[in-house]
Amino acid sequence: MLHKTSAFTGEETGGFQDAADERFIDTLEMSWVTSSEGAATFRPGDAPPLRGTLSVLGERELALYATGSIEFYRTYPGMYIQRSIGIRPVTPARDPRELAAEVLALTKMNWNQTRLDGRLPVTLRTANQVKSVLRFCPPDQAVATRYAHYM
């Protein structure tokens, strides 16, 4: 699974597929995960959508609420109105519900906080954390390759 916050270009898609073929990787899934989606979902009454609510807007366009009301707590634990994230698979190979369930599971993987969820999957959150450190490094400086250096 490969996540990115912008659309994949044809060159990127081809390059990643070539690299996967070189390493004998059978399945490569690439998805563009947007920070917000233009669509909104509403529930009856004044309760926000449940965490995990998925709207299939098209074959390559999904809206997933990675945050939202939690049935167990019977409330929404957030301070702001939640927005869905967009999931845009490059080549839809699986059922949209399976893809969304995987992304939702990845939003729970956060070792540095006690929250039960995050808005973005750990794949993107980790990249953002590393980026926030590396932007202060001079271009000619060698950088650490292990994620533990950036935690």
Side-chain angles (χ1 to χ4, degrees):
M1 174 55 69
L2 202 58
H3 291 146
K4 207 176 146 203
T5 57
S6 60
F8 284 87
T9 64
E11 293 82 18
E12 287 174 323
T13 303
F16 286 127
Q17 190 59 60
D18 290 346
D21 292 343
E22 274 182 29
R23 301 276 187 198
F24 303 105
I25 296 173
D26 294 331
T27 306
L28 174 65
E29 291 184 344
M30 295 176 266
S31 292
W32 166 23
V33 180
T34 66
S35 61
S36 66
E37 190 58 57
T41 302
F42 297 94
R43 287 176 52 197
D46 58 358
L50 293 171
R51 172 176 155 71
T53 298
L54 174 68
S55 297
V56 179
L57 307 172
E59 182 185 15
R60 295 183 184 198
E61 212 171 345
L62 311 172
L64 173 68
Y65 282 88
T67 60
S69 290
I70 299 169
E71 194 66 36
F72 179 79
Y73 297 121
R74 298 180 188 250
T75 189
Y76 170 56
M79 294 175 48
Y80 305 102
I81 296 173
Q82 79 278 13
R83 296 181 321 214
S84 61
I85 58 174
I87 304 172
R88 311 262 172 88
V90 173
T91 51
R94 290 192 288 165
D95 181 85
R97 289 180 296 266
E98 289 178 28
L99 181 60
E102 184 174 274
V103 170
L104 190 64
L106 289 171
T107 65
K108 288 182 154 189
M109 295 181 73
N110 189 350
W111 298 281
N112 292 329
Q113 292 183 357
T114 57
R115 289 189 55 161
L116 67 100
D117 64 353
R119 190 154 188 281
L120 293 174
V122 70
T123 50
L124 296 178
R125 199 168 42 244
T126 300
N128 286 336
Q129 288 173 330
V130 172
K131 176 180 71 174
S132 70
V133 172
L134 290 181
R135 71 180 187 176
F136 295 106
C137 295
D140 58 340
Q141 180 181 351
V143 296
T145 57
R146 292 190 58 228
Y147 172 64
H149 289 93
Y150 302 98
M151 292 177 66

